[in-house]
Amino acid sequence: MRRPLVVGNWKLNGTRASTRRLLSEIVAGLKSDVTSEAAVCVPFVFISQVAEQLADTGLLWGSQNVADQDHGAFTGEISALMLKEFGCRFAIIGHSERRHIYGESNVLVVERFKQAITNDLHPILCVGETLEEREKDDTFNVIEKQLSPVMEIAGVESFVNAVIAYEPVWAIGTGRAASTEQAQQVHAYIRKIIAGFNKSIAENLRILYGGSVTAENATALFSMADIDGGLIGGASLNAQSFLEIINSVK
Ligand code: PEP
């Protein structure tokens, strides 16, 4: 059985005060009998504060990236070991904003992914096509190109502790979510690729959908057979919407 997972991606947002406020509202509204796991991936500078505030609350936390190296002369990077020291469970890796705005290549993404796995940090590996690629009917190709190097270099076993997030680039922050059928089709394809290497790992792998998930569309998306929860951007910055999304998971 795959335990559903809902993860907030706060991106470049928040202050000390707003972080404290948002987390206390989320924690106060978390139901103890909820079936899903929930987490927030916050800017690096807030991780220490978040670790203190969320200890023993049931809400998990993580980062939005991780260094491709373990230590040394890599100015501006944060290692997986550092993140583990501050209690991170998850690290988002290969988000389309990293790939498209900061030029992170598939090869760099694999190195980051490997660092997370080696240090027992659970990577949330993001994959997804642009609108142009979808319109050219290239979606499956793009997904395969993003997944293959990770499978080849990190190995299928690394997916025992990993999560995949399918995030069509055209759906991120646009208010235009993929339809349930579009999302399910790609999720099933991702699971099929992994199953080609190892059926049981594929069966247990959590595949999240991300891209304009709201309290209104979450129930329908999360009811699809291969959608195991969501990676939530904008709607995770509002406690009530985020809680409704967490509670949409059955
Ligand atoms: C994201 O950035 O991971 C994301 C899914 O954003 P949004 O929910 O705002 O589309």
Side-chain angles (χ1 to χ4, degrees), residues 17-40:
S18 70
T19 294
R20 178 156 297 280
R21 207 166 40 241
L22 178 54
L23 289 181
S24 54
E25 285 170 16
I26 298 170
V27 168
L30 270 186
K31 292 189 179 150
S32 55
D33 61 348
V34 71
T35 44
S36 55
E37 263 189 327
V40 288

Side-chain angles (χ1 to χ4, degrees), residues 230-243:
L231 182 56
I232 320 297
S236 72
L237 296 171
N238 176 287
Q240 199 190 327
S241 324
F242 191 51
L243 284 163

Side-chain angles (χ1 to χ4, degrees), residues 1-5 34-37 159-160 162-163 191 199-207 222-229 249-250:
M1 266 301 276
R2 302 187 291 269
R3 186 165 182 209
L5 172 65
V34 71
T35 44
S36 55
E37 263 189 327
F159 283 86
V160 170
V163 173
R191 205 177 300 287
K199 276 207 173 89
S200 117
I201 291 176
E203 202 39 54
N204 290 309
L205 174 69
R206 293 187 287 190
I207 307 177
F222 297 169
S223 68
M224 303 307 281
D226 288 290
I227 302 183
D228 306 307
V249 181
K250 291 286 172 295

Side-chain angles (χ1 to χ4, degrees), residues 8-133:
N9 173 15
W10 286 11
K11 311 194 189 196
L12 182 56
N13 290 295
T15 62
R16 269 180 187 274
S18 70
T19 294
R20 178 156 297 280
R21 207 166 40 241
L22 178 54
L23 289 181
S24 54
E25 285 170 16
I26 298 170
V27 168
L30 270 186
K31 292 189 179 150
S32 55
D33 61 348
V34 71
T35 44
S36 55
E37 263 189 327
V40 288
C41 288
V42 304
F44 287 125
V45 286
F46 296 130
I47 289 174
S48 160
Q49 175 186 340
V50 168
E52 275 184 31
Q53 194 176 347
L54 293 188
D56 304 320
T57 60
L59 183 61
L60 304 167
W61 61 95
S63 65
Q64 298 171 16
N65 211 343
V66 61
D68 58 323
Q69 305 286 333
D70 57 6
H71 74 283
F74 302 101
T75 303
E77 292 289 319
I78 308 281
S79 77
L81 206 58
M82 293 170 186
L83 296 168
K84 276 302 282 186
E85 256 205 303
F86 287 89
C88 287
R89 168 76 60 89
F90 297 105
I92 297 174
I93 293 179
H95 191 280
S96 66
E97 286 152 15
R98 301 297 321 170
R99 293 178 189 266
H100 296 290
I101 303 174
Y102 296 98
E104 292 194 10
S105 65
N106 281 335
V107 174
L108 179 57
V109 167
V110 180
E111 293 308 317
R112 294 189 188 284
F113 181 94
K114 272 173 38 192
Q115 281 295 324
I117 291 293
T118 308
N119 291 285
D120 196 26
L121 195 58
H122 296 211
I124 300 173
L125 175 69
C126 300
V127 296
E129 80 289 0
T130 62
L131 186 57
E132 201 187 342
E133 289 162 342

